[in-house]
Amino acid sequence: MGKELLLGVARGDITPEIGGNLFGYRPDLYSESINDNLTASVFAFIQGEEKFVLITVSVCLIDTYVADELRGLISEKHNVKSDNIIICATHTHSGPSTINMPGWGGVDMPYYEGIMKPNILKAVDEAFENTQPVTMGVGVGESKLGINRRQLNIDNSVGLGQCYWAPYNPQMTVISFKNDENKIIGNIIHYGCHGTCAGLNKEVSRDWSGVMTDALENESGAITAFFNGPEGDVGPRLSNGQTTAELPSIYEIGNIGAKDAIRIFKSIDEYKDFSVSSVSSSVKLPYDKRISYEEAVEGAEKYAGETINYGKQLSVYFNKVKDSYETDFVEEEYTEIPQSIIRIGDVAFVSFPYELFSEIGMRINCAVEDLNVLSLSNANGSKGYFPTEDQLCKGGYEVTMFKYNGVQCLKDDADFHLMKGTLQNIEKLDR
């Protein structure tokens, strides 16, 4: 294997106090109780002089500046390159607001400074303090806990619900680590699905993924963490036919995930030595031109006074475009998105600061023959939804959020450029 590989696993409790702002679907939603504690799980790898860190946090989204600050603090204290750190959100809508997003709310700074940040950093400290030699096992199977949520209605409109014939990725991957005493010290579950079972509830919860990880944790005796994959167009397969329900539904879906994760975990028949490598680069995404000044003025007037959800988002967008024509704004041809890739054995974790549509992750993984590529949504920041080109003509919530986000929107074929750039970066990985 070459250089000895060490792994430390730790967990921090980041449960907020009752009464805080929740990141549901509106900015005036506040918690009234705690159903289950929120967590931050850390996997810290050491290989020779190189260090790598994977962190998953039980919140909906992590603002890019928040992720950058956390990575910088971890980098400075533990002498690990910030590019070798990936911080993800599990995407539960039943946790505190940790992103600035018009119509939804802002970063709950007392929560972030007083609970989330110190307990994540403490968990990272504990992970590095407890590193030990490990071997790794990987299991891959299918789970039908998710379903495409872009419901195509009879009038050709797209709403949030369930679409039984549209794509979603049923692949679930379970990665397990054993120490020299043949004891499992940590597990990772990867799957792509929104954490929206509970909807507009007022209980703090990790949603369905918490039920699933708790079950595998009880089965294996080791810290188990969930890393969310491309979930932009995937919701939980709820029995009510919708994409949200009440709190008990987290157990309905979580138990489906639990059975699948345990089955896949039990299918792992070999634990072996492995190596770790990484690549940090960027992906160029082409910009479209701005809409006209007249369109911006019309839109700003139409959505004036909107304060909630995408109505507020559209108001902010049209006003930004309007203001750009009244200043010295210069249009750009493209934007560059930072990307970190950490290969662990035959598995590659790839960061995306987007809520990717499932097809994007599937196409990337299909194009790489020698690795199981696990695309991570909401990783190292958050920049909104990222649909496939074929869905843009259908519209709907996710498409609206994509097309009206920033003064210049991305071009319609941005998904192709995202996949192409990601595949080029994966090719740079040491195997």
Side-chain angles (χ1 to χ4, degrees), residues 133-151:
V134 292
T135 53
M136 168 181 165
V138 180
V140 178
E142 291 193 354
S143 177
K144 293 185 177 180
L145 72 87
I147 188 170
N148 189 291
R149 72 174 197 164
R150 285 173 51 78
Q151 181 172 301

Side-chain angles (χ1 to χ4, degrees), residues 26-90:
R26 48 189 302 131
D28 57 352
L29 191 68
Y30 299 90
S31 66
E32 297 181 352
S33 63
I34 307 294
N35 183 73
D36 53 286
N37 286 4
L38 306 187
T39 60
S41 301
V42 180
F43 290 72
F45 299 86
I46 301 177
Q47 182 177 260
E49 299 299 318
E50 288 287 301
K51 298 178 181 179
F52 312 83
V53 182
L54 291 174
I55 303 173
T56 181
V57 187
S58 297
V59 294
C60 188
L61 301 166
I62 301 175
D63 203 287
T64 301
Y65 89 86
V66 171
D68 288 346
E69 180 185 34
L70 289 169
R71 293 165 70 211
L73 292 169
I74 295 167
S75 174
E76 182 178 359
K77 182 169 185 179
H78 293 282
N79 192 29
V80 50
K81 298 174 184 176
S82 60
D83 290 334
N84 286 355
I85 303 169
I86 298 179
I87 301 178
C88 309
T90 66

